[in-house]
């Protein structure tokens, strides 16, 4: 698919009037447009797409949608709906009021493109330059963009999705092979937590809220594992592939303290990291590095 064009350099007059009438003081999305004009332009993404093929959506607009989506902690579905329905977003994006928007899956495809090579770093540099030009940040000698805390947050969110999706998959497989048995173990609130893929819902934002969420998921998973390994459990359930994966993931991501309380492993103490550090190949590499040349 080739790169689309048309970034909405001029906000349609009717969109301006409707957005200003509905939001006289403006919103964060409108302030982005007013202060930064065009945060991205299509030329910033020239090497992301092939030169030929069917024209797709403008990448500058998708990048701006991704920024707004992150700022408001929205899912892909919610962000796509905001593009279709919210006047302040249409103002920020330079869209006509009757613009139909796009399918939510386009956002994940755009992130896949952004994850290749150093594209994300280059896009961040473009944002920093625009913020400096607008006077919103000051450039003092060398501007450094340390992504360590960003990567840590992403890792935590990914682990949260991992445990929740692992449990949901195990529940679906158990329902196929032992529906009546499983029905006696779960309550209505389980359907709210695991009724659909976790990626469609927002994980709790903030460290304490996220830890509380993954600990609740961990307790639910332990409840299933204890039940499936009891003697009165239907034969064969413990050997289901999804149940075995559940057991392995829980060993990697959780531990029990001296009082038997379930705990969430820290980023550097997960069992999968420990197993990789203990591999023969890694240890051999370290020994080779410690040897002095003859």
């Amino acid at each position: 698919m080739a790169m689309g064009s048309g970034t909405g350099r001029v906000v349609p007059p009717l969109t301006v009037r409707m957005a200003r009438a509905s939001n006289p003081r403006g919103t964060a999305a409108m302030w982005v447009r007013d202060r930064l004009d065009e945060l991205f332009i299509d030329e910033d993404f020239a090497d992301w797409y092939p030169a030929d093929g069917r024209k797709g959506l403008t990448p500058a607009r998708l990048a701006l949608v991704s920024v707004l989506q992150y700022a408001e902690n929205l899912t892909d579905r919610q962000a796509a709906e905001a593009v279709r329905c919210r006047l302040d977003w249409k103002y920020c994006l330079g869209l006509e009021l009757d613009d139909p928007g796009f399918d939510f899956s386009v956002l994940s495809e755009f992130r896949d493109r952004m994850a290749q090579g150093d594209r994300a770093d280059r896009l961040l540099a473009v944002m920093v330059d625009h913020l400096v030009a607008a006077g919103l940040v000051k450039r003092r000698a060398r501007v450094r963009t340390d992504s360590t805390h960003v990567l840590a947050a992403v890792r935590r969110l990914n682990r949260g999705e991992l445990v929740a999706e692992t449990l949901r998959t195990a529940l679906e497989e158990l329902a196929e092979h032992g529906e009546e048995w499983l029905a006696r173990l779960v309550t209505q609130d389980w359907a709210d937590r695991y009724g659909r893929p976790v990626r469609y819902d927002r994980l709790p934002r903030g460290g304490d809220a996220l830890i509380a969420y993954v600990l609740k998921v961990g307790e639910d998973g332990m409840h299933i594992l204890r039940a499936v390994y009891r003697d009165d459990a239907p034969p064969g359930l413990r050997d289901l592939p999804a149940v075995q994966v559940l057991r392995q993931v829980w060993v990697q991501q959780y531990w029990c303290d001296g009082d038997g309380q379930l705990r969430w492993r820290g980023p550097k103490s997960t069992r999968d990291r420990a197993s990789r550090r203990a591999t023969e190949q890694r240890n051999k590499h370290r020994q080779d590095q410690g040897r002095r040349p003859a």
Side-chain angles (χ1 to χ4, degrees):
M1 179 178 292
M3 183 177 69
S5 60
T7 59
R9 286 186 167 86
V10 178
V11 183
L14 182 57
T15 301
V16 174
R17 291 200 300 271
M18 294 296 292
R20 291 298 182 192
S22 301
N23 305 281
R25 298 183 179 180
T27 66
M30 296 172 67
W31 297 335
V32 168
R33 181 73 192 205
D34 292 339
R35 296 296 300 274
L36 301 175
D37 193 14
E38 290 182 289
L39 185 57
F40 306 106
I41 59 176
D42 286 334
E43 286 71 15
D44 296 329
F45 308 87
D47 60 339
W48 290 32
Y49 296 84
D52 54 357
R54 182 171 61 87
K55 295 292 184 181
L57 297 169
T58 162
R61 187 168 288 159
L62 291 176
L64 186 51
V65 170
S66 299
V67 171
L68 298 176
Q69 176 187 5
Y70 178 81
E72 300 192 18
N73 192 29
L74 301 179
T75 65
D76 288 350
R77 288 179 182 270
Q78 292 169 333
E81 183 177 358
V83 173
R84 288 192 300 271
C85 304
R86 286 179 50 176
L87 290 174
D88 58 337
W89 278 44
K90 288 184 180 292
Y91 177 92
C92 179
L93 298 168
L95 297 175
E96 297 283 355
L97 293 181
D98 59 353
D99 190 287
F102 49 80
D103 186 78
F104 73 96
S105 62
V106 173
L107 291 172
S108 63
E109 295 172 358
F110 177 77
R111 289 195 298 271
D112 290 340
R113 291 183 183 272
M114 185 169 60
Q116 299 177 19
D118 63 344
R119 290 174 175 176
D121 293 333
R122 287 189 283 138
L123 202 59
L124 180 60
V126 170
M127 290 182 60
V128 171
D129 290 339
H130 278 77
L131 293 172
V132 170
L136 299 177
V137 297
K138 294 183 178 180
R139 187 185 298 275
R140 296 180 179 177
R142 180 182 301 174
V143 175
R144 302 186 62 182
T145 52
D146 187 0
S147 61
T148 303
H149 65 290
V150 177
L151 295 176
V154 170
R155 176 179 175 83
R156 181 180 295 174
L157 285 173
N158 287 343
R159 290 176 61 205
E161 291 182 3
L162 168 66
V163 294
E165 276 295 284
T166 299
L167 179 54
R168 187 188 66 83
T169 303
L171 291 173
E172 288 187 348
E173 191 163 348
L174 286 169
E176 293 179 3
H177 296 83
E179 183 176 1
E180 294 183 0
W181 173 85
L182 181 63
R184 295 193 297 268
L185 297 175
V186 302
T187 55
Q188 181 60 38
D189 58 324
W190 284 52
D192 298 333
R193 284 196 296 274
Y194 313 113
R196 61 178 184 170
V198 179
R199 64 180 180 273
Y200 292 153
D201 291 316
R202 289 181 293 177
L203 288 178
R205 197 166 187 174
D208 294 340
L210 184 59
I211 293 298
Y213 172 78
V214 296
L215 287 177
K216 181 60 179 175
V217 174
E219 292 171 359
D220 292 344
M222 291 299 297
H223 180 58
I224 293 297
L225 289 172
R226 292 190 186 102
V228 82
Y229 277 93
R230 284 202 299 259
D231 294 337
D232 59 347
L237 291 186
R238 70 187 63 174
D239 297 324
L240 293 175
V243 174
Q244 289 299 309
V245 172
L246 176 66
R247 183 185 63 81
Q248 294 171 5
V249 170
W250 256 235
V251 169
Q252 293 172 353
Q253 304 300 331
Y254 297 97
W255 63 284
C256 290
D257 60 18
D259 297 328
Q261 188 71 28
L262 192 68
R263 301 293 183 184
W264 179 242
R265 293 186 184 275
K268 294 185 178 181
S269 63
T270 54
R271 290 290 294 276
D272 57 334
R273 287 178 61 96
S275 63
R276 291 197 299 271
R277 286 195 297 265
T279 57
E280 180 179 353
Q281 182 177 1
R282 184 179 291 268
N283 291 336
K284 182 178 183 301
H285 178 67
R286 288 178 177 175
Q287 292 173 1
D288 291 343
Q289 286 183 330
R291 293 175 183 172
R292 294 182 178 180

